Amino acid sequence: MRFTRFAMLDWSSGNDTGPTPRKDAIWLGEAGREPVYLRNRDLAEFVLGAMFGAVVNAGDRLLIGVDVPFGYPAGFGKALTGSDDPFAVWDWLEANVTDTPKGNNRFQLADQINGGFPGIGPFWFNALKDDLPNLPRKDVRDGHGMAERRACDAAVPGTFTLWQMGGAGAVGGQAFTALAVLNRLRKNFPDQVAVWPFQTPETPIVLVETWPGLLNDAVKRAEAMGEIRDKAQVNIMAQAMAHLDAADLDEMLAVDATAEGWIFGAGHEDRLRKAASRIAPPPLRNDCFALPPGVDWTPVDTALNMLRDRLHPVTSPEPVSVFAAAGRVLAEDVIAKRSNPPQPNTAVDGYGFKGGAPDDAPRWLPLVDGRAAAGAPYDGTVPDGHAVRVLTGAALPDGVDTVVLEEDTTTDAGQIAFRGPLRQGANTRKAGEDIAAGAVALPKGRVLTPADLALASAVGHGELMVQRPLRVAVLSTGDELLEPGDEAGPGQIFDANRPMLLALAAGWGYAPIDIGRVPDDRDTLKTRLDEAAEKADVILTSGGASAGDEDHVSALLRESGAMEEWRIALKPGRPLALGLWNNTPVFGLPGNPVAALVCTLVFARPAFRLLSGEAWHQPKGVMVPAAFTKRKKPGRHEYLRARLRDGAAEVFKSEGSGRISGLSWAEGLVELGDGAAEITPGMPVKFIPYSAF
């Protein structure tokens, strides 16, 4: 059974770091989830225990990397415990490490261990005020008999020695405290946890030693964008592990290591880095929806341009079979592995020969024995002045560059007769004339069609790297709302928006997530938004997007420090609350179903395309004659519910935004620009069918 979950733990032996996420602390990252900050080791042990229990109960398999050495240089375990078993050291540390959020005895233990070695023992760096007799503050060690580094450390540039107990790169202190915790966890889950490479990685939970330095370039890029380094490390390593090809993962785990242990991915750095390049982009910035200073009313085109310029994909790539990739968004260019056609071939059934027939004189050519068919090439060379039977799609035999159609020939007694003219190369296809090996067959960001899958398969791809489907959470707000079909009381209405918005998301190929409806209660709404942010890549709410007393969506987003209320110069619509909730983008739509649909089509749909990895796309309309009369004032974009009849655009009888029946009656929208307009029958107007979105 393959692994279903991938995680990484970055450890710290320091004191409690407080409630604010920071560097040089404990971070836990899991592929597909936001990394978790753990302020001290007590909390980390509790969270890890809960994770392990959830994995076992759900029947999952977890591969979790830990940024701590699992073993020591050869001979240390024997000197300390009398045994070469690496778990004897783990047991010793669990029994002897005393640890609280405010401190631990790692320096005293290093002093105690050094006292049992000859010369000046292997450990060094005392960060305590008091001197310790056997633990030097500086590296003056000598005569202890231990190697400075393990074999795997020597194979990976940049790793640190286990003997340093404090200061920059002090993995010695981290190993003391981490191995004590990990030993308790593996004992708490007997037969469920394996420690690689000491044990066979066939259990539900497998611990591997990781070194984030293997992915340092990716980590530095995340740091340059303002990410905390430790947070970036766990996120990137967990995602890279998740995106490894199955064969690469198996090979990385097939290590014959000694009791010293091994670093996961060592010797396979290129493959690990390639997998890391497939991870999801960083989250959106808090100011991605901020309006320029002084902007109040926002024109539709300005709003769309800001969304186009500020949004980027938030989904992560994953490999998918060509048989299951229809409708998915390509995460990387598809490069032809093989030319199409792979070799010159015949385009028709007929007879192949060399040289063509430049005039209309009759020709007689003797036939060689055998034939060429698709998948069954002719074995041999056709001599000059001879012909061979060929079927459509067959590779051209050596000595053949022209084919005459079967119906243009007569055959008799082992020869063919035909008349020209017939140009040289007629009825054949050149190798790579469709697409050459190494060329881009399909560009990144394309939504795959059945025809695309045929092309990808033809050029050698059985699997494509595509974006995971965008997860769209839909939430309705308002005390007045009821579930459709419930018994309605005075002042209550049925929730029409959720069924509509969930269906739109599903129809666009996204993964809809129904978060339900909530009353006008801020605490309840906050809880639901937390749930939505945990489950989805983007949140779509309706209602509560204005600035009234009961408009809690905009109020909560404003309190979170990442909210903008875009007053769009638009009819129907106008208020559109945009912000981030726990790093998840939120589109706060008006509560009116007509306005909610228009805002979703006009703003959310192109934004969702970008968030899901597609290229920016706005719907294409067609100019058709108007079948209506309208006088429009300047200052706002307007969208009229419309349909085509006899080649002209009809509009719904009422522009009232409460007339939901108009949405069903319509087949699309007529778009009118910001300026004043006097529309009369026959004038050209832009009609955008619903399908164009």
Side-chain angles (χ1 to χ4, degrees):
M1 178 182 174
R2 294 293 179 189
F3 291 101
T4 56
R5 296 173 66 172
F6 300 84
M8 180 186 163
L9 179 70
D10 187 270
W11 195 255
S12 172
S13 58
N15 294 345
D16 187 295
T17 47
T20 304
R22 51 166 289 179
K23 63 179 182 178
D24 299 326
I26 302 175
W27 285 87
L28 175 64
E30 182 172 356
R33 302 186 183 185
E34 183 71 9
V36 178
Y37 163 72
L38 303 170
R39 59 186 293 179
N40 58 52
R41 288 174 296 282
D42 281 356
L43 178 59
E45 185 168 354
F46 173 80
V47 171
L48 288 169
M51 172 188 267
F52 288 8
V55 167
V56 172
N57 291 337
D60 287 334
R61 290 200 72 210
L62 170 67
L63 180 67
I64 177 169
V66 185
D67 181 20
V68 165
F70 284 0
Y72 285 82
F76 175 75
K78 183 84 168 181
L80 178 68
T81 69
S83 170
D84 287 323
D85 182 356
F87 292 121
V89 176
W90 289 40
D91 289 337
W92 190 94
L93 289 171
E94 181 194 353
N96 288 277
V97 169
T98 57
D99 197 0
T100 71
K102 294 184 178 182
N104 56 69
N105 67 336
R106 66 186 188 276
F107 297 112
Q108 291 88 344
L109 276 185
D111 175 72
Q112 176 185 336
I113 295 172
N114 273 357
F117 280 82
I120 303 174
F123 292 103
W124 66 280
F125 198 107
N126 174 15
L128 303 178
K129 292 182 179 180
D130 296 332
D131 289 336
L132 295 172
N134 299 306
L135 184 65
R137 296 186 183 275
K138 296 182 180 181
D139 187 3
V140 294
R141 300 164 298 147
D142 184 58
H144 52 73
M146 292 288 103
E148 186 66 11
R149 295 159 66 81
R150 302 174 298 163
C152 59
D153 297 328
V156 178
T159 55
F160 296 95
T161 173
L162 280 91
W163 307 126
Q164 184 179 343
M165 295 302 297
V171 297
Q174 294 178 11
F176 275 24
T177 55
L179 297 182
V181 169
L182 295 178
N183 204 50
R184 280 193 293 273
L185 287 169
R186 75 182 189 93
K187 290 179 178 179
N188 289 340
F189 293 90
D191 302 322
Q192 305 295 322
V193 176
V195 179
W196 175 90
F198 309 136
Q199 296 172 310
T200 305
E202 296 177 351
T203 52
I205 301 160
V206 177
L207 304 175
V208 297
E209 177 185 335
T210 49
W211 168 240
L214 295 178
L215 301 176
N216 200 40
D217 288 344
V219 173
K220 285 183 176 179
R221 287 194 296 270
E223 274 192 296
M225 299 183 70
E227 190 69 274
I228 295 174
R229 180 176 180 84
D230 294 347
K231 179 181 179 183
Q233 288 181 164
V234 298
N235 184 46
I236 291 170
M237 182 62 79
Q239 300 281 6
M241 292 163 68
H243 286 111
L244 280 170
D245 294 334
D248 288 343
L249 179 57
D250 289 344
E251 188 172 346
M252 289 183 190
L253 291 174
V255 171
D256 184 14
T258 66
E260 288 188 334
W262 195 257
I263 296 171
F264 177 80
H268 306 276
E269 290 86 347
D270 288 345
R271 283 183 255 186
L272 193 62
R273 288 165 189 153
K274 181 180 177 181
S277 71
R278 301 171 177 171
I279 68 170
L284 298 176
R285 297 171 60 93
N286 277 358
D287 62 354
C288 68
F289 295 122
L291 294 172
V295 171
D296 187 9
W297 286 97
T298 308
V300 169
D301 290 341
T302 300
L304 288 171
N305 288 337
M306 285 193 290
L307 290 175
R308 180 193 62 202
D309 294 341
R310 298 177 182 184
L311 299 182
H312 59 66
V314 296
T315 55
S316 57
E318 62 181 2
V320 170
S321 164
V322 291
F323 294 98
R328 301 291 288 275
V329 180
L330 268 178
E332 58 187 34
D333 291 343
V334 174
I335 306 300
K337 295 181 177 180
R338 187 187 195 198
S339 295
N340 185 49
Q343 61 274 318
N345 65 48
T346 175
V348 298
D349 290 345
Y351 296 90
F353 61 100
K354 186 176 183 179
D359 53 45
D360 62 357
R363 279 173 171 72
W364 292 267
L365 295 175
L367 285 171
V368 299
D369 291 333
R371 68 173 192 174
Y378 177 77
D379 185 16
T381 300
V382 178
D384 286 349
H386 288 67
V388 65
R389 174 71 165 149
V390 293
L391 302 181
T392 302
L396 293 182
D398 290 340
V400 171
D401 60 15
T402 306
V403 174
V404 59
L405 273 72
E406 180 176 2
E407 50 266 40
D408 291 340
T409 66
T410 56
T411 61
D412 182 43
Q415 65 177 349
I416 62 168
F418 65 95
R419 286 182 179 274
L422 192 67
R423 64 175 176 80
Q424 188 173 12
N427 300 313
T428 66
R429 307 183 184 107
K430 297 178 181 179
E433 69 175 25
D434 179 22
I435 186 167
V440 176
L442 297 167
K444 173 183 177 180
R446 182 180 179 89
V447 179
L448 290 166
T449 67
D452 293 336
L453 302 181
L455 177 57
S457 301
V459 297
H461 289 270
E463 189 176 79
L464 299 174
M465 189 60 62
V466 298
Q467 297 284 358
R468 176 178 48 76
L470 188 74
R471 299 168 299 175
V472 180
V474 177
L475 172 67
S476 291
T477 68
D479 287 336
E480 73 279 13
L481 295 181
L482 286 176
E483 285 294 290
D486 283 357
E487 191 71 29
Q492 293 183 311
I493 60 174
F494 298 114
D495 184 0
N497 284 342
R498 262 176 44 247
M500 175 179 70
L501 298 175
L502 288 164
L504 280 174
W508 290 333
Y510 306 139
I513 301 172
D514 186 6
I515 303 298
R517 56 185 175 82
V518 297
D520 292 318
D521 177 80
R522 196 163 299 188
D523 290 339
T524 303
L525 177 59
K526 182 179 182 299
T527 298
R528 292 292 183 88
L529 286 173
D530 287 343
E531 176 188 352
E534 176 70 23
K535 294 180 177 180
D537 303 302
V538 62
I539 303 170
L540 205 55
T541 71
S542 60
S546 293
D549 292 342
E550 298 300 330
D551 291 317
H552 297 294
V553 172
S554 55
L556 280 175
L557 288 175
R558 192 175 293 108
E559 290 175 4
S560 76
M563 183 271 179
E564 289 289 333
E565 183 179 83
W566 287 14
R567 300 173 68 193
I568 310 294
L570 170 72
K571 178 182 178 182
R574 193 174 301 178
L576 185 63
L578 298 169
L580 298 177
W581 187 265
N582 294 344
N583 290 325
T584 304
V586 179
F587 285 73
L589 305 172
N592 183 291
V594 175
L597 178 66
V598 169
C599 285
T600 301
L601 295 178
V602 175
F603 298 108
R605 174 55 165 153
F608 287 4
R609 287 180 184 272
L610 278 186
L611 295 172
S612 65
E614 286 187 57
W616 177 260
H617 172 86
Q618 286 182 244
K620 300 293 190 294
V622 293
M623 301 304 293
V624 298
F628 61 93
T629 299
K630 176 178 173 60
R631 176 177 294 176
K632 178 187 175 296
K633 295 179 181 180
R636 286 202 291 176
H637 235 72
E638 292 193 21
Y639 291 91
L640 310 177
R641 286 151 282 176
R643 65 186 185 184
L644 290 184
R645 291 295 182 270
D646 299 324
E650 299 178 351
V651 298
F652 191 56
K653 59 188 176 182
S654 169
E655 294 183 18
S657 57
R659 301 289 291 271
I660 303 176
S661 63
L663 296 177
S664 177
W665 172 91
E667 298 166 349
L669 303 172
V670 162
E671 180 184 20
L672 303 178
D674 296 329
E678 187 85 28
I679 309 295
T680 57
M683 287 184 63
V685 293
K686 183 191 284 188
F687 174 76
I688 308 174
Y690 285 149
S691 60
F693 293 95

